[in-house]
Coordinates of all heavy atoms in Angstrom, one line a residue:
M1 N 33.4 138.2 41.5 CA 32.8 136.9 41.4 C 31.8 136.7 42.5 O 32.0 137.0 43.7 CB 33.9 135.9 41.6 CG 33.5 134.5 41.3 SD 34.8 133.2 41.5 CE 36.2 133.8 40.8
N2 N 30.6 136.2 42.1 CA 29.5 136.1 43.1 C 29.8 134.9 44.1 O 30.6 134.0 43.7 CB 28.2 136.1 42.5 CG 27.9 134.8 41.7 OD1 28.4 133.8 42.0 ND2 27.1 134.9 40.7
A3 N 29.1 134.8 45.2 CA 29.3 133.8 46.2 C 29.0 132.4 45.7 O 29.7 131.5 46.0 CB 28.5 134.1 47.4
L4 N 27.9 132.3 44.8 CA 27.5 131.0 44.3 C 28.6 130.4 43.4 O 29.0 129.3 43.5 CB 26.2 131.1 43.5 CG 25.7 129.8 42.9 CD1 25.5 128.7 44.0 CD2 24.5 130.0 42.1
L5 N 29.2 131.2 42.5 CA 30.2 130.8 41.6 C 31.5 130.4 42.4 O 32.1 129.4 42.2 CB 30.6 131.9 40.6 CG 31.6 131.5 39.6 CD1 31.2 130.3 38.8 CD2 31.8 132.7 38.6
R6 N 31.8 131.2 43.4 CA 33.0 130.8 44.3 C 32.8 129.5 45.0 O 33.7 128.7 45.1 CB 33.2 131.9 45.3 CG 34.2 133.0 44.8 CD 34.5 133.9 45.9 NE 33.2 134.6 46.1 CZ 33.0 135.7 46.8 NH1 34.0 136.2 47.5 NH2 31.8 136.3 47.0
S7 N 31.5 129.3 45.5 CA 31.2 128.0 46.2 C 31.4 126.8 45.2 O 31.9 125.8 45.6 CB 29.8 128.1 46.8 OG 29.8 129.0 47.8
V8 N 30.8 127.0 44.0 CA 30.9 125.9 43.0 C 32.4 125.6 42.7 O 32.8 124.4 42.6 CB 30.1 126.2 41.8 CG1 30.4 125.3 40.6 CG2 28.6 126.3 42.1
L9 N 33.2 126.6 42.4 CA 34.6 126.4 42.1 C 35.3 125.8 43.2 O 36.2 124.9 43.0 CB 35.2 127.8 41.7 CG 34.8 128.4 40.4 CD1 35.4 129.7 40.2 CD2 35.2 127.4 39.2
A10 N 35.0 126.1 44.5 CA 35.6 125.5 45.6 C 35.3 124.0 45.7 O 36.2 123.2 46.0 CB 35.2 126.2 46.9
L11 N 34.0 123.7 45.4 CA 33.6 122.3 45.5 C 34.3 121.5 44.4 O 34.7 120.3 44.6 CB 32.1 122.2 45.4 CG 31.3 122.5 46.6 CD1 29.8 122.5 46.3 CD2 31.6 121.6 47.7
V12 N 34.4 122.0 43.2 CA 35.0 121.4 42.1 C 36.5 121.1 42.4 O 37.1 120.1 42.2 CB 34.9 122.1 40.8 CG1 35.8 121.6 39.7 CG2 33.4 122.1 40.3
S13 N 37.1 122.1 42.9 CA 38.6 122.0 43.3 C 38.8 121.0 44.4 O 39.7 120.2 44.3 CB 39.1 123.4 43.8 OG 40.4 123.3 44.3
L14 N 37.9 120.9 45.4 CA 37.9 119.9 46.4 C 37.8 118.5 45.8 O 38.5 117.6 46.2 CB 36.9 120.2 47.5 CG 36.9 119.3 48.7 CD1 38.2 119.3 49.4 CD2 35.7 119.6 49.6
A15 N 36.8 118.3 44.9 CA 36.6 117.0 44.3 C 37.8 116.6 43.5 O 38.2 115.4 43.6 CB 35.4 117.1 43.4
I16 N 38.4 117.5 42.8 CA 39.6 117.1 42.0 C 40.8 116.8 42.9 O 41.5 115.8 42.7 CB 40.0 118.3 41.0 CG1 38.9 118.4 39.9 CG2 41.4 118.1 40.5 CD1 39.1 119.6 39.1
T17 N 40.9 117.5 44.0 CA 42.0 117.2 44.9 C 41.8 115.9 45.6 O 42.7 115.1 45.7 CB 42.1 118.3 46.0 OG1 42.3 119.6 45.4 CG2 43.2 118.0 47.0
A18 N 40.6 115.6 46.0 CA 40.3 114.3 46.6 C 40.5 113.1 45.7 O 41.1 112.1 46.0 CB 38.8 114.3 47.1
Q19 N 40.2 113.3 44.4 CA 40.5 112.3 43.4 C 42.0 112.0 43.2 O 42.4 110.9 43.0 CB 39.9 112.7 42.1 CG 38.6 112.0 41.8 CD 38.1 112.3 40.3 OE1 38.5 113.3 39.8 NE2 37.4 111.4 39.8
A20 N 42.7 113.1 43.2 CA 44.2 113.0 43.0 C 44.9 112.2 44.1 O 45.9 111.6 43.9 CB 44.8 114.4 42.8
V21 N 44.3 112.3 45.3 CA 44.9 111.7 46.5 C 44.7 110.2 46.5 O 45.6 109.4 46.7 CB 44.5 112.4 47.8 CG1 44.9 111.6 49.0 CG2 45.0 113.8 47.9
A22 N 43.4 109.8 46.3 CA 43.1 108.4 46.4 C 43.6 107.6 45.2 O 43.1 107.9 44.1 CB 41.6 108.2 46.5
Q23 N 44.6 106.8 45.4 CA 45.1 106.1 44.2 C 44.7 104.6 44.1 O 44.6 104.1 43.0 CB 46.7 106.1 44.3 CG 47.2 107.5 44.1 CD 48.7 107.5 44.1 OE1 49.4 106.6 44.4 NE2 49.3 108.7 43.7
V24 N 44.5 103.9 45.2 CA 44.1 102.5 45.1 C 43.2 102.2 46.3 O 43.4 102.7 47.4 CB 45.4 101.6 45.2 CG1 46.2 101.7 46.4 CG2 45.0 100.2 44.9
T25 N 42.2 101.4 46.0 CA 41.2 100.9 47.0 C 41.1 99.4 46.9 O 40.9 98.9 45.9 CB 39.9 101.6 46.8 OG1 40.0 103.0 46.9 CG2 38.9 101.1 47.9
F26 N 41.3 98.8 48.1 CA 41.2 97.3 48.2 C 39.9 97.0 48.8 O 39.5 97.7 49.8 CB 42.3 96.8 49.0 CG 43.7 97.0 48.4 CD1 44.4 98.1 48.8 CD2 44.2 96.0 47.6 CE1 45.7 98.3 48.2 CE2 45.5 96.2 47.0 CZ 46.2 97.3 47.3
Y27 N 39.2 96.0 48.3 CA 37.9 95.6 48.9 C 38.0 94.2 49.4 O 38.6 93.3 48.8 CB 36.8 95.6 47.8 CG 36.5 97.0 47.3 CD1 37.3 97.6 46.3 CD2 35.5 97.8 47.9 CE1 37.0 98.9 45.9 CE2 35.3 99.1 47.5 CZ 36.0 99.7 46.5 OH 35.8 100.9 46.1
E28 N 37.2 93.9 50.5 CA 37.3 92.6 51.1 C 36.6 91.5 50.3 O 37.1 90.3 50.4 CB 36.5 92.7 52.5 CG 36.7 91.6 53.4 CD 36.1 91.8 54.7 OE1 35.1 92.6 54.8 OE2 36.6 91.2 55.7
H29 N 35.7 91.8 49.5 CA 35.0 90.8 48.7 C 35.1 91.1 47.2 O 35.4 92.2 46.8 CB 33.5 90.7 49.1 CG 33.3 90.4 50.5 ND1 33.7 89.3 51.1 CD2 32.7 91.1 51.5 CE1 33.4 89.3 52.4 NE2 32.8 90.4 52.7
E30 N 34.9 90.1 46.4 CA 34.8 90.3 44.9 C 33.7 91.3 44.6 O 32.8 91.4 45.3 CB 34.7 89.0 44.2 CG 35.9 88.1 44.4 CD 35.7 86.8 43.5 OE1 34.6 86.5 43.1 OE2 36.7 86.1 43.3
G31 N 33.9 91.9 43.4 CA 32.9 92.9 43.0 C 32.8 94.2 43.7 O 31.8 94.8 43.8
F32 N 33.9 94.5 44.4 CA 34.0 95.8 45.1 C 33.0 95.9 46.2 O 32.4 97.0 46.4 CB 33.9 97.0 44.1 CG 34.6 96.8 42.8 CD1 34.0 96.5 41.6 CD2 36.0 96.7 42.8 CE1 34.6 96.3 40.4 CE2 36.7 96.5 41.6 CZ 36.0 96.3 40.5
S33 N 32.9 94.9 47.0 CA 32.0 95.0 48.1 C 32.7 94.6 49.4 O 33.8 94.1 49.4 CB 30.8 94.0 47.9 OG 31.2 92.7 47.9
G34 N 32.0 94.8 50.5 CA 32.6 94.5 51.8 C 33.4 95.7 52.3 O 33.4 96.8 51.7
R35 N 34.2 95.5 53.4 CA 35.0 96.5 53.9 C 36.0 97.0 52.8 O 36.4 96.2 52.0 CB 35.8 96.0 55.1 CG 35.0 95.9 56.3 CD 35.8 95.5 57.6 NE 37.0 94.6 57.3 CZ 38.2 94.9 57.7 NH1 38.5 95.9 58.4 NH2 39.2 94.0 57.4
S36 N 36.4 98.2 52.9 CA 37.4 98.7 51.9 C 38.5 99.4 52.6 O 38.4 99.9 53.8 CB 36.8 99.6 50.9 OG 36.3 100.7 51.5
F37 N 39.6 99.5 51.9 CA 40.8 100.2 52.5 C 41.4 101.0 51.3 O 41.8 100.4 50.3 CB 41.8 99.2 53.0 CG 43.2 99.7 53.3 CD1 43.4 100.7 54.2 CD2 44.2 99.2 52.5 CE1 44.7 101.1 54.5 CE2 45.5 99.7 52.7 CZ 45.7 100.7 53.7
T38 N 41.6 102.3 51.5 CA 42.1 103.2 50.5 C 43.4 103.8 50.9 O 43.6 104.2 52.1 CB 41.1 104.3 50.2 OG1 39.9 103.8 49.7 CG2 41.7 105.2 49.1
T39 N 44.4 103.8 50.0 CA 45.7 104.4 50.4 C 46.3 105.2 49.2 O 46.0 104.8 48.0 CB 46.7 103.4 50.9 OG1 47.9 104.0 51.3 CG2 47.0 102.4 49.8
E40 N 47.1 106.1 49.5 CA 47.9 106.8 48.4 C 49.4 106.6 48.6 O 50.2 107.1 47.8 CB 47.5 108.3 48.4 CG 48.0 109.1 49.6 CD 47.1 109.0 50.8 OE1 45.9 108.5 50.7 OE2 47.5 109.4 51.9
K41 N 49.8 105.8 49.6 CA 51.2 105.5 49.8 C 51.4 104.0 50.0 O 50.4 103.3 50.2 CB 51.7 106.3 50.9 CG 51.0 106.0 52.2 CD 51.5 106.9 53.4 CE 50.6 106.6 54.6 NZ 50.9 107.5 55.6
Q42 N 52.6 103.5 49.8 CA 52.9 102.1 49.9 C 52.7 101.7 51.4 O 52.9 102.4 52.3 CB 54.3 101.8 49.5 CG 55.4 102.3 50.4 CD 56.8 102.0 49.8 OE1 56.9 101.5 48.7 NE2 57.8 102.2 50.6
I43 N 52.2 100.4 51.5 CA 52.0 99.8 52.8 C 52.8 98.6 52.8 O 52.6 97.6 52.1 CB 50.5 99.4 53.0 CG1 49.6 100.6 52.8 CG2 50.3 98.8 54.3 CD1 49.7 101.7 53.8
V44 N 53.8 98.6 53.7 CA 54.8 97.5 53.8 C 54.2 96.2 54.4 O 54.5 95.1 54.1 CB 56.0 97.9 54.6 CG1 57.0 96.8 54.9 CG2 56.7 99.1 54.0
N45 N 53.2 96.4 55.3 CA 52.5 95.3 56.0 C 51.0 95.6 56.2 O 50.7 96.4 57.0 CB 53.2 95.0 57.3 CG 52.7 93.7 57.9 OD1 51.7 93.2 57.6 ND2 53.4 93.3 58.9
F46 N 50.2 95.0 55.4 CA 48.7 95.2 55.5 C 48.2 94.8 56.9 O 47.1 95.3 57.3 CB 48.0 94.4 54.4 CG 47.9 95.2 53.1 CD1 48.9 96.0 52.7 CD2 46.8 95.0 52.3 CE1 48.8 96.7 51.5 CE2 46.7 95.6 51.1 CZ 47.7 96.5 50.7
Q47 N 48.9 94.0 57.7 CA 48.4 93.6 59.0 C 48.3 94.9 59.9 O 47.4 95.0 60.7 CB 49.3 92.6 59.6 CG 48.8 92.0 60.9 CD 49.6 90.8 61.3 OE1 50.6 90.4 60.7 NE2 49.1 90.1 62.4
R48 N 49.2 95.8 59.7 CA 49.1 97.0 60.5 C 47.9 97.9 60.3 O 47.5 98.7 61.1 CB 50.4 97.9 60.2 CG 51.6 97.2 60.7 CD 52.8 98.1 60.4 NE 54.0 97.4 60.8 CZ 55.2 97.6 60.3 NH1 55.4 98.5 59.4 NH2 56.3 96.9 60.7
V49 N 47.2 97.7 59.1 CA 46.0 98.4 58.9 C 44.8 97.5 58.9 O 43.7 97.9 58.5 CB 46.1 99.2 57.5 CG1 47.1 100.3 57.6 CG2 46.3 98.2 56.4
G50 N 45.0 96.3 59.4 CA 43.9 95.4 59.6 C 43.3 94.8 58.3 O 42.1 94.4 58.2
F51 N 44.2 94.7 57.2 CA 43.6 94.2 56.0 C 44.5 93.1 55.4 O 44.5 92.8 54.2 CB 43.5 95.4 55.0 CG 42.3 95.3 54.2 CD1 41.1 95.7 54.7 CD2 42.3 94.9 52.9 CE1 39.9 95.7 54.0 CE2 41.1 94.8 52.1 CZ 39.9 95.3 52.7
N52 N 45.3 92.5 56.2 CA 46.2 91.4 55.7 C 45.4 90.2 55.2 O 44.5 89.7 55.9 CB 47.2 91.0 56.8 CG 48.3 90.1 56.3 OD1 49.0 90.4 55.3 ND2 48.4 88.9 56.9
D53 N 45.8 89.7 54.0 CA 45.1 88.6 53.4 C 43.6 88.7 53.3 O 42.9 87.7 53.5 CB 45.5 87.3 54.1 CG 47.0 87.0 53.9 OD1 47.6 87.4 53.0 OD2 47.5 86.2 54.8
R54 N 43.1 89.9 53.0 CA 41.6 90.1 53.0 C 41.2 90.6 51.6 O 40.0 90.6 51.3 CB 41.2 91.1 54.0 CG 41.4 90.6 55.4 CD 40.7 91.6 56.4 NE 40.9 91.2 57.8 CZ 40.0 90.4 58.4 NH1 38.9 90.0 57.8 NH2 40.2 90.0 59.7
A55 N 42.1 91.2 50.8 CA 41.7 91.8 49.5 C 41.2 90.8 48.5 O 41.9 89.8 48.2 CB 42.8 92.7 49.0
S56 N 40.0 91.1 47.9 CA 39.5 90.2 46.9 C 39.2 91.0 45.6 O 39.0 90.4 44.5 CB 38.2 89.5 47.3 OG 38.5 88.6 48.4
S57 N 39.2 92.3 45.7 CA 39.0 93.1 44.5 C 39.7 94.5 44.7 O 39.9 94.9 45.9 CB 37.5 93.3 44.1 OG 36.8 93.8 45.2
V58 N 40.0 95.2 43.6 CA 40.8 96.4 43.7 C 40.4 97.4 42.6 O 40.1 97.0 41.5 CB 42.3 96.1 43.5 CG1 43.2 97.3 43.6 CG2 42.8 95.1 44.6
V59 N 40.5 98.7 43.0 CA 40.3 99.7 42.0 C 41.6 100.6 42.1 O 41.9 101.1 43.2 CB 39.1 100.6 42.3 CG1 39.1 101.8 41.3 CG2 37.8 99.8 42.2
V60 N 42.3 100.6 41.0 CA 43.6 101.5 40.9 C 43.2 102.7 40.2 O 42.9 102.7 39.0 CB 44.7 100.7 40.2 CG1 45.9 101.6 40.1 CG2 45.0 99.4 40.9
D61 N 43.2 103.9 40.9 CA 42.8 105.2 40.3 C 43.9 105.8 39.4 O 43.6 106.3 38.4 CB 42.5 106.1 41.5 CG 41.2 105.8 42.2 OD1 40.3 105.1 41.6 OD2 41.1 106.1 43.4
R62 N 45.1 105.7 39.8 CA 46.2 106.3 39.0 C 47.5 105.6 39.4 O 47.7 105.0 40.4 CB 46.2 107.8 39.2 CG 46.6 108.2 40.6 CD 46.5 109.7 40.7 NE 46.9 110.1 42.1 CZ 47.8 110.9 42.4 NH1 48.5 111.6 41.4 NH2 48.1 111.2 43.6
E63 N 48.4 105.7 38.4 CA 49.7 105.1 38.6 C 49.6 103.6 38.6 O 48.6 103.0 38.7 CB 50.5 105.7 39.7 CG 50.8 107.2 39.6 CD 51.6 107.7 40.8 OE1 52.3 106.9 41.4 OE2 51.5 108.9 41.0
R64 N 50.8 102.9 38.6 CA 50.8 101.5 38.7 C 51.1 101.1 40.2 O 51.9 101.8 40.8 CB 51.9 100.9 37.8 CG 51.6 101.1 36.3 CD 52.6 100.5 35.4 NE 54.0 100.8 35.9 CZ 55.0 100.2 35.4 NH1 54.9 99.4 34.4 NH2 56.2 100.5 35.8
W65 N 50.6 100.0 40.6 CA 50.8 99.5 42.0 C 51.3 98.1 41.9 O 50.7 97.3 41.2 CB 49.5 99.6 42.8 CG 49.2 101.0 43.2 CD1 48.6 102.0 42.5 CD2 49.5 101.6 44.5 NE1 48.5 103.1 43.2 CE2 49.0 102.9 44.4 CE3 50.0 101.1 45.6 CZ2 49.1 103.7 45.5 CZ3 50.1 101.9 46.7 CH2 49.7 103.3 46.7
E66 N 52.3 97.8 42.7 CA 52.7 96.4 42.9 C 52.2 95.9 44.2 O 52.3 96.5 45.2 CB 54.3 96.4 42.9 CG 54.8 95.0 43.0 CD 56.3 94.9 42.9 OE1 57.0 95.7 43.6 OE2 56.8 94.1 42.2
V67 N 51.5 94.7 44.1 CA 51.0 94.1 45.3 C 51.7 92.7 45.4 O 52.0 92.1 44.4 CB 49.4 93.9 45.2 CG1 48.7 95.2 45.2 CG2 49.0 93.1 44.0
C68 N 51.9 92.4 46.7 CA 52.7 91.2 46.9 C 52.0 90.3 48.0 O 51.3 90.8 48.8 CB 54.1 91.5 47.4 SG 55.1 92.5 46.3
E69 N 52.3 89.0 47.9 CA 51.7 88.0 48.8 C 52.2 88.1 50.2 O 51.5 87.8 51.2 CB 52.0 86.6 48.3 CG 51.2 86.2 47.1 CD 51.5 84.8 46.7 OE1 52.6 84.3 46.9 OE2 50.6 84.2 46.1
D70 N 53.5 88.5 50.4 CA 54.0 88.6 51.7 C 54.4 90.0 52.1 O 54.6 90.9 51.3 CB 55.3 87.8 51.7 CG 55.1 86.3 51.5 OD1 54.0 85.8 51.8 OD2 56.0 85.7 50.9
A71 N 54.4 90.3 53.4 CA 54.8 91.6 53.9 C 56.2 91.9 53.5 O 57.0 91.0 53.2 CB 54.7 91.6 55.5
G72 N 56.4 93.2 53.4 CA 57.8 93.7 53.0 C 58.0 93.5 51.5 O 59.2 93.5 51.1
F73 N 57.0 93.4 50.7 CA 57.0 93.3 49.3 C 57.8 92.0 48.9 O 58.6 92.0 47.9 CB 57.6 94.5 48.6 CG 56.8 95.8 49.0 CD1 57.3 96.7 49.9 CD2 55.5 96.0 48.5 CE1 56.6 97.8 50.3 CE2 54.8 97.1 48.9 CZ 55.3 98.0 49.8
D74 N 57.6 91.0 49.6 CA 58.2 89.7 49.3 C 57.2 88.7 48.7 O 56.0 89.0 48.7 CB 58.8 89.0 50.6 CG 60.1 89.7 51.1 OD1 60.8 90.3 50.2 OD2 60.3 89.7 52.3
G75 N 57.7 87.6 48.4 CA 56.8 86.6 47.7 C 56.5 87.0 46.3 O 57.1 87.8 45.7
R76 N 55.4 86.3 45.8 CA 55.0 86.6 44.4 C 54.3 88.0 44.4 O 53.5 88.3 45.2 CB 54.0 85.6 43.9 CG 53.8 85.7 42.4 CD 53.0 84.5 42.0 NE 51.6 84.5 42.5 CZ 50.6 85.2 41.8 NH1 50.9 85.8 40.8 NH2 49.4 85.1 42.3
C77 N 54.8 88.8 43.4 CA 54.2 90.2 43.3 C 53.6 90.3 41.9 O 54.1 89.7 40.9 CB 55.3 91.2 43.5 SG 56.0 91.2 45.1
V78 N 52.6 91.2 41.8 CA 51.9 91.5 40.5 C 51.8 93.0 40.4 O 51.5 93.7 41.4 CB 50.5 90.8 40.4 CG1 49.8 91.3 39.2 CG2 50.7 89.3 40.5
V79 N 52.0 93.6 39.2 CA 51.8 95.0 39.0 C 50.4 95.2 38.4 O 50.0 94.6 37.5 CB 52.9 95.6 38.0 CG1 52.6 97.0 37.6 CG2 54.3 95.4 38.6
L80 N 49.7 96.1 39.1 CA 48.3 96.5 38.7 C 48.4 97.8 38.0 O 48.8 98.8 38.7 CB 47.4 96.4 39.9 CG 47.3 95.1 40.7 CD1 46.4 95.3 41.9 CD2 46.8 94.0 39.8
R81 N 47.9 97.9 36.8 CA 47.8 99.2 36.2 C 46.4 99.9 36.5 O 45.6 99.2 37.0 CB 47.9 99.0 34.7 CG 49.2 98.4 34.2 CD 49.3 98.2 32.7 NE 50.5 97.5 32.4 CZ 51.7 98.1 32.2 NH1 51.8 99.4 32.4 NH2 52.7 97.4 31.8
P82 N 46.3 101.2 36.3 CA 45.0 101.8 36.6 C 43.8 101.1 35.9 O 43.9 100.7 34.8 CB 45.2 103.2 35.9 CG 46.7 103.5 36.0 CD 47.3 102.1 35.7
G83 N 42.8 100.9 36.7 CA 41.7 100.1 36.3 C 40.9 99.5 37.4 O 41.3 99.7 38.6
R84 N 39.9 98.7 37.0 CA 39.1 98.0 38.0 C 39.3 96.5 37.9 O 39.3 96.0 36.8 CB 37.6 98.4 37.8 CG 37.3 99.9 37.9 CD 35.9 100.2 37.5 NE 34.9 99.5 38.2 CZ 34.4 100.0 39.4 NH1 34.8 101.1 39.9 NH2 33.4 99.3 40.0
Y85 N 39.6 95.9 39.1 CA 39.8 94.5 39.1 C 38.8 93.9 40.0 O 39.0 93.8 41.3 CB 41.2 94.2 39.7 CG 42.3 94.8 38.8 CD1 42.7 96.2 39.0 CD2 43.0 94.1 37.9 CE1 43.7 96.7 38.2 CE2 44.0 94.6 37.1 CZ 44.3 95.9 37.2 OH 45.3 96.5 36.5
P86 N 37.7 93.4 39.5 CA 36.5 92.9 40.3 C 36.9 91.6 41.0 O 36.2 91.2 41.9 CB 35.4 92.7 39.3 CG 36.1 92.6 37.9 CD 37.3 93.4 38.0
S87 N 37.9 90.9 40.6 CA 38.3 89.7 41.3 C 39.8 89.5 41.2 O 40.4 89.6 40.1 CB 37.6 88.5 40.6 OG 38.1 87.3 41.2
L88 N 40.5 89.2 42.3 CA 41.9 88.9 42.3 C 42.2 87.4 42.1 O 43.3 87.0 42.1 CB 42.5 89.4 43.5 CG 42.6 90.9 43.7 CD1 43.1 91.4 45.0 CD2 43.3 91.6 42.6
A89 N 41.1 86.6 42.1 CA 41.3 85.1 42.0 C 42.0 84.7 40.7 O 42.9 83.8 40.8 CB 39.9 84.5 42.0
A90 N 41.8 85.3 39.6 CA 42.4 84.9 38.4 C 43.9 85.1 38.4 O 44.7 84.4 37.7 CB 41.8 85.7 37.2
M91 N 44.3 86.1 39.3 CA 45.8 86.3 39.4 C 46.4 85.5 40.5 O 47.6 85.6 40.8 CB 46.0 87.8 39.8 CG 45.7 88.8 38.7 SD 45.9 90.4 39.2 CE 44.3 91.1 38.9
G92 N 45.5 84.7 41.2 CA 46.0 83.9 42.3 C 46.3 84.7 43.6 O 47.0 84.3 44.4
L93 N 45.7 85.9 43.7 CA 45.9 86.8 44.8 C 44.7 87.0 45.7 O 44.8 87.8 46.6 CB 46.4 88.1 44.3 CG 47.8 88.2 43.7 CD1 48.1 89.5 43.1 CD2 48.8 87.8 44.8
N94 N 43.6 86.2 45.5 CA 42.4 86.4 46.3 C 42.8 86.1 47.8 O 43.2 85.0 48.1 CB 41.3 85.5 45.8 CG 40.0 85.8 46.5 OD1 39.6 87.0 46.5 ND2 39.4 84.9 47.1
D95 N 42.5 87.1 48.6 CA 42.8 86.9 50.1 C 44.3 86.6 50.3 O 44.6 85.8 51.3 CB 41.9 85.9 50.7 CG 40.4 86.3 50.7 OD1 40.2 87.5 50.7 OD2 39.6 85.4 50.8
R96 N 45.2 87.1 49.5 CA 46.6 86.8 49.7 C 47.5 88.0 49.7 O 48.7 87.9 49.9 CB 47.1 85.9 48.6 CG 46.3 84.5 48.6 CD 46.9 83.6 47.6 NE 48.2 83.3 48.1 CZ 48.8 82.1 48.1 NH1 48.1 81.1 47.5 NH2 50.0 81.8 48.6
V97 N 47.0 89.2 49.5 CA 47.8 90.4 49.4 C 48.2 90.9 50.8 O 47.4 91.0 51.7 CB 47.1 91.6 48.7 CG1 47.9 92.8 48.7 CG2 46.7 91.2 47.3
S98 N 49.5 91.0 51.0 CA 50.0 91.4 52.4 C 50.8 92.7 52.3 O 51.2 93.3 53.3 CB 50.9 90.3 52.9 OG 50.2 89.2 53.2
S99 N 51.2 93.2 51.1 CA 51.9 94.4 50.9 C 51.8 94.9 49.5 O 51.3 94.2 48.6 CB 53.4 94.3 51.2 OG 54.1 93.4 50.4

């Protein structure tokens, strides 16, 4: 296998691996703008990562995610399926997600 083909295969593999890891991204403003926070594991308290009550839009890359108003997965919770959510306002969660 020549060096160019190996390099291309390595880049494709890296891109696929990176996609598999990033599962959900929260954005500070509606329409996927402002600061963002990406995670592949559950976060019990968004305050620890500096994003408590800041999320206004979300992209769920894979699997379902439950988001809750209060830390520790308390309060009102909503399950988000894979997809793009340009505004959390319709769900009553704009700037209210804490876990």
Side-chain angles (χ1 to χ4, degrees):
M1 187 179 319
N2 69 32
L4 179 60
L5 183 56
R6 271 186 290 194
S7 295
V8 169
L9 289 175
L11 285 174
V12 169
S13 176
L14 182 62
I16 290 170
T17 301
Q19 258 188 335
V21 172
Q23 291 185 350
V24 65
T25 303
F26 297 91
Y27 294 87
E28 189 174 30
H29 302 299
E30 291 186 345
F32 316 110
S33 64
R35 287 186 323 131
S36 64
F37 165 66
T38 301
T39 186
E40 67 278 349
K41 58 186 174 186
Q42 69 180 11
I43 304 295
V44 176
N45 187 346
F46 274 32
Q47 188 167 7
R48 293 182 183 153
V49 294
F51 222 79
N52 189 52
D53 293 337
R54 293 186 181 272
S56 294
S57 55
V58 179
V59 175
V60 179
D61 290 330
R62 63 186 182 125
E63 299 182 21
R64 297 182 313 170
W65 282 80
E66 182 176 46
V67 294
C68 301
E69 288 182 332
D70 298 330
F73 304 106
D74 286 331
R76 191 171 71 84
C77 299
V78 173
V79 174
L80 302 176
R81 297 181 186 278
R84 298 172 60 86
Y85 299 85
S87 174
L88 294 176
M91 292 178 236
L93 290 173
N94 189 53
D95 294 336
R96 298 189 68 141
V97 177
S98 295
S99 61

